[in-house]
Amino acid sequence: MKRKRTHPRRPITFTVGSSAPTTNNSPSSPTKKRKLSTTQRINEFHALTKRLAHIQKQIQSTTQSQGQLNNHGNEETSISHGTTNGTLKDEAARVKEAIEALGGLHAYQRASLKGGDESKGRGACGKWLVGMLNKYVVPSREGMGSRKSEEKEESAKKVDRLKLLDIGALNGATYGKQRAWIDAEYVDLNPQHANVIRQDFFERPPPRNKADLFDVLCLSLVVNFVDDPERRGIMLIRARQFLVPSGLLFIVLPLPCTKNSRYMTHERIVEICKAIGFEEIEFHFTKRLSYHLWRRVEGHNTKKTVSVEKKMVNPGAARNNFSIIVK
């Protein structure tokens, strides 16, 4: 039997913002151009936004130090800090250019949407949540049974629909099939669909009355996108403020956030959310994602929220640094 001729594989390297890979071939060898895959684009975007957040923190720190030195009259050291700050700002500008070269936030969203059909990703997240709502919420509401028959569907219309806030929504139709019993509001920083409202959840006005509260709040692949661990904690605290008593919070994270982080495990997430005022009622792991369903616990004083600092719980050189800090 004639053996197939094999060639040694050469590593392929991508330059940030470039769709043309380079190899260790000789300079005379032509390189084939190809687009970044969905996974590569998402991973590169996350890496760049993390880097940008780190640089911006350094700029803030050096700015504060420079101000203190100016007050104490230490001119020479102050100039040194100013030079460092200038270098950091230049680096931040380069990272922003690299993000824009990837297509910016819109490209990230398109990549997420491409991987979010009904068989995997975000579509599957919505299906799982609907199943949980049928299990935990629907049976307790008069006239709201299983959605399998037209008779029960009509019955559901006669009662108040569940109010659901989907933060970071892409297509504005995740719960369209359940509109008879789910009243969904979709928001995002950069909407990709007419049904999605442009809004930053961090800037959403605090609820003034019951009409501003929701039965269910969804953070599907949103918390991990927030670039700072403290802001992630703030997002979870704010989420609780927008829920009715015993309301539900649905969180979806990439599986590596809970399974391969130095600072996060499933048990650690439970500890953090308990400190904020939630109890976990369901969780589920897929090959790529982790689903978490929380219920708001009553009698919890958010002004006395237990502080949860960053703590190494899962050491290892190959692990990531995802974490959530509550202060």
Side-chain angles (χ1 to χ4, degrees):
M1 186 176 176
K2 199 172 181 180
R3 293 185 66 186
K4 240 183 181 180
R5 187 178 176 186
T6 58
H7 298 279
R9 291 184 179 180
R10 295 182 174 89
I12 297 175
T13 307
F14 283 92
T15 304
V16 172
S18 171
S19 59
T22 59
T23 69
N24 60 355
N25 290 339
S26 63
S28 59
S29 301
T31 56
K32 294 181 180 180
K33 289 186 178 182
R34 68 180 178 88
K35 292 181 180 179
L36 288 168
S37 70
T38 299
T39 303
Q40 287 168 331
R41 187 174 294 279
I42 290 173
N43 289 344
E44 193 164 334
F45 188 87
H46 275 295
L48 288 169
T49 51
K50 271 187 182 178
R51 178 62 186 152
L52 182 60
H54 178 68
I55 295 169
Q56 288 171 336
K57 269 196 165 183
Q58 286 182 303
I59 291 172
Q60 185 180 5
S61 176
T62 53
T63 300
Q64 290 173 347
S65 298
Q66 187 180 4
Q68 291 172 355
L69 290 167
N70 285 338
N71 292 336
H72 288 84
N74 195 332
E75 187 177 345
E76 188 177 336
T77 309
S78 177
I79 292 171
S80 173
H81 275 71
T83 305
T84 303
N85 215 345
T87 304
L88 288 170
K89 286 180 180 178
D90 289 341
E91 189 176 351
R94 286 194 294 271
V95 174
K96 286 178 182 178
E97 286 176 8
I99 291 173
E100 288 307 310
L102 277 175
L105 183 60
H106 285 280
Y108 166 81
Q109 289 181 312
R110 285 194 296 272
S112 298
L113 187 58
K114 181 180 177 182
D117 58 27
E118 287 300 313
S119 63
K120 58 185 177 179
R122 295 184 70 92
C125 300
K127 278 188 172 182
W128 187 84
L129 177 59
V130 168
M132 293 300 103
L133 295 179
N134 270 304
K135 179 179 178 180
Y136 287 103
V137 181
V138 172
S140 65
R141 290 202 168 200
E142 186 181 352
M144 296 182 73
S146 171
R147 306 295 110 212
K148 291 182 180 179
S149 72
E150 291 183 11
E151 183 181 344
K152 288 178 180 178
E153 191 75 36
E154 288 300 317
S155 176
K157 294 177 184 178
K158 297 176 183 178
V159 298
D160 292 337
R161 293 187 295 169
L162 287 173
K163 284 185 64 182
L164 182 148
L165 178 60
D166 190 359
I167 299 163
L170 292 180
N171 58 23
T174 306
Y175 306 97
K177 292 181 180 179
Q178 292 78 33
R179 59 182 173 273
W181 57 286
I182 294 180
D183 178 15
E185 179 183 332
Y186 303 96
V187 301
D188 188 45
L189 286 169
N190 290 283
Q192 301 292 296
H193 193 280
N195 290 345
V196 182
I197 300 167
R198 183 182 298 275
Q199 186 181 75
D200 183 345
F201 180 60
F202 286 104
E203 296 177 7
R204 187 181 180 100
R208 295 164 298 178
N209 48 49
K210 190 177 178 181
D212 294 332
L213 300 178
F214 294 86
D215 299 293
V216 186
L217 193 146
C218 304
L219 294 170
S220 179
L221 298 176
V222 172
V223 177
N224 56 290
F225 186 64
V226 176
D227 55 19
D228 180 73
E230 287 186 27
R231 279 171 62 81
R232 292 172 192 151
I234 292 169
M235 174 171 271
L236 296 181
I237 292 171
R238 278 183 63 81
R240 187 182 184 281
Q241 294 170 356
F242 282 90
L243 286 170
V244 299
S246 300
L248 299 179
L249 173 64
F250 178 48
I251 300 174
V252 180
L253 294 168
L255 193 61
C257 289
T258 52
K259 291 288 189 180
N260 196 41
S261 168
R262 296 180 182 87
Y263 306 100
M264 192 63 59
T265 59
H266 177 234
E267 292 75 19
R268 183 68 171 168
I269 291 178
V270 171
E271 181 184 346
I272 290 168
C273 287
K274 186 177 180 181
I276 294 170
F278 287 105
E279 61 173 351
E280 189 176 50
I281 56 176
E282 286 277 355
F283 68 91
H284 174 65
F285 297 139
T286 69
K287 287 183 179 179
R288 296 182 180 181
L289 304 171
S290 64
Y291 303 169
H292 307 265
L293 187 62
W294 305 87
R295 179 182 283 124
R296 171 177 159 151
V297 176
E298 299 317 304
H300 180 86
N301 188 345
T302 53
K303 292 181 180 179
K304 295 183 179 179
T305 297
V306 178
S307 176
V308 182
E309 298 291 342
K310 188 174 180 179
K311 181 175 73 173
M312 180 83 72
V313 292
N314 204 15
R319 302 194 186 280
N320 64 68
N321 292 320
F322 177 79
S323 64
I324 299 172
I325 296 174
V326 178
K327 288 190 174 180

